[in-house]
């Protein structure tokens, strides 16, 4: 099984595709950090940065992908045909080969992206789960907490 490993070495981000253990320079990070990554295949890897930047590896080169934000990308998911989902702060952004769109669930602290494919894509927060389908997101779980709960009474 081929894996993609990422590492930070003296201000340079290096990506190793274990199929040939070939190290390839991505770009000068300076004050950047990789904050999210998703591998679609050996030859299709996406990286989200602390500045909001998004880069795509096509097996040979890294190229910048248009980003809707300029702050930390916490989660990223992508398919090879242009479907990308990002978590940035308390919002989610997505594109399906068109303009970026956003979805901002109700107030939450924890959340993320959980995707297997375009038709099996979910975003979740402390209290809600949304599923992607037919070009939009639908709330499939709303676990409202009506009163605060505590371990200590």
């Amino acid at each position: 099984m081929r894996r993609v490993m990422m590492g930070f070495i003296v201000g340079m981000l290096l990506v190793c595709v274990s199929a040939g253990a070939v190290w390839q320079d991505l770009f000068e990070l300076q004050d950047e950090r990789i904050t999210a990554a998703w591998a679609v295949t050996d030859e299709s890897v996406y990286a989200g940065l602390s500045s909001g930047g998004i880069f795509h590896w096509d097996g040979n080169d890294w190229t910048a992908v248009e980003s809707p934000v300029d702050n930390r990308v916490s989660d990223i998911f992508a398919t090879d045909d242009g479907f990308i989902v990002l978590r940035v702060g308390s919002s989610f952004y997505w594109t399906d080969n068109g303009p970026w769109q956003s979805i901002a669930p109700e107030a939450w602290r924890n959340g993320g992206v959980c995707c297997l494919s375009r038709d099996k894509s979910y975003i979740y927060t402390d209290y809600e789960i949304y599923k992607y389908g037919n070009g939009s997101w639908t709330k499939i779980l709303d676990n409202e907490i009506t009163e605060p709960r505590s371990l200590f009474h």
Side-chain angles (χ1 to χ4, degrees):
M1 179 182 230
R2 297 178 181 175
R3 299 180 311 195
V4 176
M5 300 176 294
M6 305 229 170
F8 182 78
I9 299 178
V10 192
M12 297 287 289
L13 175 69
L14 301 174
V15 174
C16 174
V17 179
S18 66
V22 177
W23 288 88
Q24 183 75 29
D25 291 346
L26 171 55
F27 49 86
E28 293 279 343
L29 279 180
Q30 308 274 327
D31 291 327
E32 290 284 347
R33 299 255 189 271
I34 289 187
T35 53
W38 183 263
V40 179
T41 67
D42 290 355
E43 296 178 352
S44 184
V45 178
Y46 289 83
L49 305 179
S50 56
S51 66
I54 304 168
F55 283 83
H56 178 252
W57 170 255
D58 67 5
N60 293 308
D61 297 305
W62 285 97
T63 55
V65 175
E66 176 190 357
S67 176
V69 297
D70 59 5
N71 51 344
R72 179 189 169 120
V73 175
S74 300
D75 279 326
I76 189 168
F77 167 80
T79 63
D80 245 2
D81 58 358
F83 180 68
I84 304 172
V85 182
L86 307 175
R87 179 171 71 93
V88 178
S90 61
S91 295
F92 294 89
Y93 296 86
W94 62 280
T95 181
D96 196 356
N97 288 309
W100 284 96
Q101 300 181 52
S102 68
I103 179 171
E106 296 174 27
W108 57 279
R109 288 182 298 217
N110 302 302
V113 177
C114 179
C115 303
L116 299 173
S117 66
R118 169 184 273 116
D119 297 328
K120 295 178 182 174
S121 296
Y122 302 86
I123 57 175
Y124 64 92
T125 69
D126 294 317
Y127 309 111
E128 303 168 318
I129 298 176
Y130 291 79
K131 182 180 188 307
Y132 183 79
N134 298 321
S136 66
W137 294 92
T138 303
K139 188 186 294 189
I140 62 170
L141 176 67
D142 188 354
N143 186 21
E144 270 187 46
I145 295 178
T146 56
E147 60 184 68
R149 298 180 185 161
S150 172
L151 295 174
F152 309 101
H153 296 276

